[in-house]
Amino acid sequence: MGFDEVIAKARVALASAGFGVLTEIDVQATLREKLGESMERYVILGACNPPLAHRALEATREIGLLLPCNVVVRQDVSDLSVTVVEAVNPAVMAEVVPAAGVVAVAEEATVRLESALVALDEELA
């Protein structure tokens, strides 16, 4: 599928897993505007599940440094007809900020994010 279709389906899959997209960074447009550089299409979606974010912030305010969960939708640099979707593993939160309560939130976020990616993969197959 084309890039626009994949990013739209990624949003739906994230929403189905309880994530909203708080931020969207169009890296391609930003680099072109700020640096005059060109690159393939590359968008970072800042996905957030508010109940999980709240629980993590209640455990420790420092966790905000690792929120939201970033999901990247990008064209493969070696084959622009291929769109790649990648996500950071939320378990990293518990490694970086090992506060009580963060591990459970990270585990649930991981399960939810993985389910979104699996659903997206099945939708695109």
Side-chain angles (χ1 to χ4, degrees), residues 1-41:
M1 287 186 190
F3 185 90
D4 292 324
E5 236 180 317
V6 172
I7 201 164
K9 289 185 182 295
R11 288 176 175 280
V12 170
L14 288 166
S16 294
F19 290 93
V21 176
L22 298 179
T23 60
E24 180 174 327
I25 302 169
D26 184 337
V27 177
Q28 179 190 47
T30 300
L31 293 180
R32 181 177 51 245
E33 179 185 321
K34 302 292 184 186
L35 303 175
E37 296 291 334
S38 63
M39 67 177 291
E40 69 283 356
R41 294 185 73 183

